[in-house]
Every structure is written in structure tokens, then in C-alpha cells.
């Protein structure tokens, strides 16, 4: 199922899903199905991973004419971040593609050695923004704004000490995150100021439930700046794959429904180029993951 958080000119943010190239309101779908459904993504995730199969069955059993009264055309809605306000920080994974490890060592203060365990950082909930919004570059904080396309994993059930073999059982779905990074804002090796500024986690455009992604470890991901491709790789090249990450993270802390893991970025970031490239006012960034879609954002410079 392709889920989204959307808004129209007449509504507050609502939960919906894509069906026959239209947006169907989830709460309204529940009413016509006599099955109470929420209007918020986190509330749906809280219903459990099993709800997806039930929803798919309900959609299949619903006559097409029933959808007409609760459907919006795509041009009537604004796509918001699928999870607008995560309950906790987004979990970020650093240096998780081999070639990105190498390029970071050339130009940043990393060692070039392959990590033996996942490198974990976090991005506050206020970093989240949707597609077709602005990435804010505060020129008093940074002159080195950079891009990082990533596959993001959304957790669907509570997990502690999750065995690697069972890890995907804990996944609700997947989305796209652009892990925007201010390279000159790291402090004594700590990354949260570099990674955690407002709007530094564009997310979306939708959340795709795991049943729709046959193999999350074979998805193309790419990024363009002003129409020019900068990154192009595949999740098969993850140093620590999703199973590894969920196992490791669940040893460190309990994973809970709605938690978001940004799995890392491949080579091609601006800091790794010769000469280095950065984002400036008006630049348009497009981050794409196969099977999910593309998020598009424009850089806006401020000085505060």
C-alpha cells in the first residue's frame, strides 16, 4: 500500500492512500467500510503491521464506485512528509556505503577505515519537511550545505534484541530521506549540529508498506541538483544492510512503532567531489528511491 499524509485547500493534514492514481482518504474509507481507521500515519502504524493486509483485502472487496466520494485527484492535494512529527529523533547511519567511506576520508576528517559496527547519529523531529518545500540554509551557520539521498526504514512493532534473521518482520514500510548536512558544522566529531538543523530531513513523498517492496536490498537510489545527476547507486551496496541495522540498534535501545532509520548514503556527495560542490540559494534537489518516488526541494538562504 502506498500511504501518504496530505492536505487540501479545505482540510487539515490527513492520512490517505493511492488507488487508481487518486488519493483516497483513510478515515473516510474506514467509514464506508464500517471499520474505524485513523487520520494520522502514526496512529495507523500503532494498529500493527497486520493492518496492512486487512486494508489490502478491504480495498480489493470495495466496489470502485464507492471510492468516488472519498477520492481526490493528485492535483487537488499537497503531499506532506509521511510522518510530519516523528515521536523521536530520526536514527541516522553514517558511512554505510563503501565508496562513501572512501570519499569522506579524502575530504572530511574520517579515517577511511570501514566501520566495524554501524555509526549512529540522530536528527531531531524538527528536521522533517515534505516534498516541494524549502531547505533552509542559514549562512551564519554554514557555507557548506550538502546532499545525501537515503532509503529510510519505518519500524512497525516494538523490538529489543531482534535477531538479524527476523529483522524485516519489524518493518512497517519505507520512504525517502535526503540527509541534508552542513559539513562545516561538525563539533569535535559530533554530527548533530551538522545534521540536525530545521528542514534537514526532507522526507516522502509517500510511505510504501513493506509488502510492496520485494527486496529492499536491491533498490536504485539517485540524486540530482538542478537536473544534474550527482548520486546513483543501489541498496545492495549497503555496508550494513537493514537486517544488520535493526539487530544492532535493538541491542542499543528499544525500537518502537514509528521509529525511522535513515540507512546511509552512497558516494557522490558534494563534499567528496573535486572540487567540492555545495548547495546555494535557489538550487533544486531531487532525491529518488526506486519503488517509492522522488522528493523535490529548493534551497533558501537566510542569515540569522
Amino acid at each position: 500500500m502506498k500511504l501518504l499524509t496530505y492536505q487540501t485547500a479545505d482540510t487539515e493534514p490527513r492520512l490517505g492512500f493511492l488507488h487508481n492514481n487518486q488519493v483516497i482518504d483513510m478515515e473516510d474509507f474506514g467509514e464506508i467500510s464500517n471499520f474505524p481507521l485513523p487520520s494520522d500515519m502514526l496512529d495507523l502504524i500503532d494498529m500493527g503491521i497486520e493492518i496492512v493486509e486487512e486494508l489490502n483485502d478491504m480495498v480489493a472487496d470495495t466496489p470502485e464506485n464507492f471510492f468516488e466520494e472519498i477520492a481526490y485527484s493528485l492535483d487537488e492535494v499537497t503531499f506532506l512528509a509521511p510522518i510530519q512529527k516523528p515521536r523521536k529523533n530520526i536514527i541516522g547511519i553514517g558511512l554505510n556505503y563503501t565508496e562513501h567511506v572512501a570519499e569522506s576520508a579524502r575530504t572530511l576528517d574520517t579515517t577511511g577505515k570501514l566501520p566495524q559496527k554501524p555509526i549512529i547519529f540522530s536528527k531531531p523531529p524538527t528536521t522533517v519537511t515534505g516534498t516541494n518545500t524549502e531547505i533552509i540554509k542559514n549562512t551564519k551557520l554554514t557555507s557548506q550545505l550538502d546532499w545525501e539521498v537515503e532509503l529510510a526504514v519505518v519500524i512497525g512493532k516494538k523490538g529489543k534484541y531482534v535477531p538479524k534473521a527476523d529483522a524485516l518482520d519489524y518493518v512497517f514500510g519505507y520512504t525517502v530521506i535526503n540527509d541534508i548536512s552542513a559539513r562545516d558544522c561538525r563539533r569535535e566529531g559530533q554530527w548533530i549540529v551538522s545534521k540536525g538543523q530545521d528542514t534537514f530531513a526532507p522526507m516522502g513523498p509517500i510511505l510504501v508498506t513493506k509488502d510492496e517492496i520485494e527486496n529492499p536490498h536491491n533498490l536504485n537510489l539517485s540524486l540530482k541538483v538542478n537536473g544534474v545527476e550527482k548520486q546513483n547507486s543501489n541498496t545492495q551496496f549497503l555496508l550494513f544492510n537493514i537486517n544488520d541495522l535493526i539487530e544492532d540498534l535493538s541491542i542499543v535501545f528499544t525500537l518502537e512503532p514509528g521509529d525511522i532509520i535513515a540507512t546511509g548514503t552512497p558516494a557522490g556527495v558534494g563534499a567528496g567531489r573535486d572540487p567540492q560542490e555545495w548547495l546555494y540559494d535557489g538550487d533544486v534537489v531531487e532525491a529518488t528511491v526506486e519503488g517509492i518516488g522522488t522528493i523535490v526541494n529548493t534551497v533558501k538562504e537566510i542569515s540569522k
Side-chain angles (χ1 to χ4, degrees):
M1 180 165 272
K2 294 179 170 63
L3 302 168
L4 72 152
T5 298
Y6 75 94
Q7 192 168 19
T8 73
D10 302 318
T11 69
E12 295 297 315
R14 304 275 297 174
L15 175 63
F17 61 93
L18 298 180
H19 177 72
N20 288 342
N21 210 34
Q22 292 182 306
V23 174
I24 308 299
D25 186 87
M26 185 67 76
E27 189 174 36
D28 290 346
F29 178 64
E31 289 185 11
I32 69 169
S33 303
N34 295 314
F35 188 99
L37 290 169
S39 61
D40 178 82
M41 187 74 76
L42 287 173
D43 290 341
L44 182 72
I45 294 171
D46 286 343
M47 295 180 75
I49 294 173
E50 302 75 21
I51 189 62
V52 175
E53 185 175 353
E54 293 182 60
L55 286 171
N56 284 329
D57 289 342
M58 289 162 56
V59 169
D61 292 340
T62 301
E64 282 302 314
N65 63 301
F66 278 49
F67 288 110
E68 294 175 4
E69 295 182 2
I70 58 171
Y72 295 95
S73 63
L74 295 178
D75 60 6
E76 288 183 280
V77 307
T78 297
F79 282 64
L80 306 174
I83 300 176
Q84 282 192 285
K85 296 181 180 178
R87 293 174 180 137
K88 297 187 291 186
N89 282 17
I90 295 167
I91 304 162
I93 306 297
L95 303 176
N96 202 26
Y97 285 77
T98 302
E99 291 182 356
H100 181 51
V101 174
E103 73 174 359
S104 295
R106 289 195 300 270
T107 54
L108 300 171
D109 58 357
T110 55
T111 65
K113 296 179 181 178
L114 293 182
Q116 299 304 300
K117 288 186 177 295
I119 297 173
I120 304 168
F121 63 92
S122 74
K123 299 172 79 81
T126 47
T127 57
V128 172
T129 188
T131 189
N132 297 315
T133 63
E134 293 175 335
I135 297 166
I136 301 302
K137 176 185 178 181
N138 186 345
T139 56
K140 286 194 174 179
L141 285 176
T142 180
S143 61
Q144 298 181 355
L145 196 68
D146 207 346
W147 57 81
E148 295 190 5
V149 61
E150 309 199 4
L151 172 68
V153 177
V154 179
I155 297 297
K157 67 178 180 179
K158 187 175 182 179
K160 182 68 175 172
Y161 305 117
V162 176
K164 187 185 303 185
D166 299 336
L168 295 185
D169 294 342
Y170 290 76
V171 174
F172 186 86
Y174 305 95
T175 190
V176 185
I177 280 182
N178 188 352
D179 176 17
I180 298 296
S181 305
R183 301 298 185 190
D184 48 359
C185 287
R186 286 171 297 144
R187 298 181 181 177
E188 299 297 328
Q190 295 180 2
W191 294 3
I192 195 163
V193 179
S194 168
K195 303 279 195 175
Q197 297 176 38
D198 290 356
T199 73
F200 275 23
M203 181 195 302
I206 61 175
L207 188 160
V208 178
T209 55
K210 68 176 178 181
D211 57 300
E212 300 241 349
I213 302 290
E214 182 177 355
N215 181 5
H217 298 124
N218 187 22
L219 298 175
N220 293 324
L221 66 169
S222 61
L223 183 140
K224 295 178 180 178
V225 178
N226 298 327
V228 178
E229 186 172 88
K230 303 296 183 180
Q231 293 181 280
N232 191 323
S233 189
N234 188 287
T235 56
Q236 66 181 293
F237 300 116
L238 284 164
L239 182 58
F240 300 103
N241 69 21
I242 296 164
N243 299 68
D244 298 325
L245 295 175
I246 289 176
E247 179 185 57
D248 183 74
L249 291 167
S250 71
I251 293 170
V252 179
F253 45 74
T254 301
L255 294 173
E256 296 181 311
D259 283 354
I260 303 166
I261 305 168
T263 58
T265 200
V269 301
R273 295 178 169 270
D274 186 15
Q276 292 179 322
E277 298 178 15
W278 310 116
L279 294 171
Y280 297 98
D281 192 61
D283 284 346
V284 177
V285 189
E286 303 169 70
T288 302
V289 176
E290 179 185 359
I292 301 171
T294 300
I295 46 176
V296 183
N297 300 93
T298 303
V299 177
K300 180 178 177 61
E301 292 186 355
I302 64 170
S303 181
K304 298 210 179 200

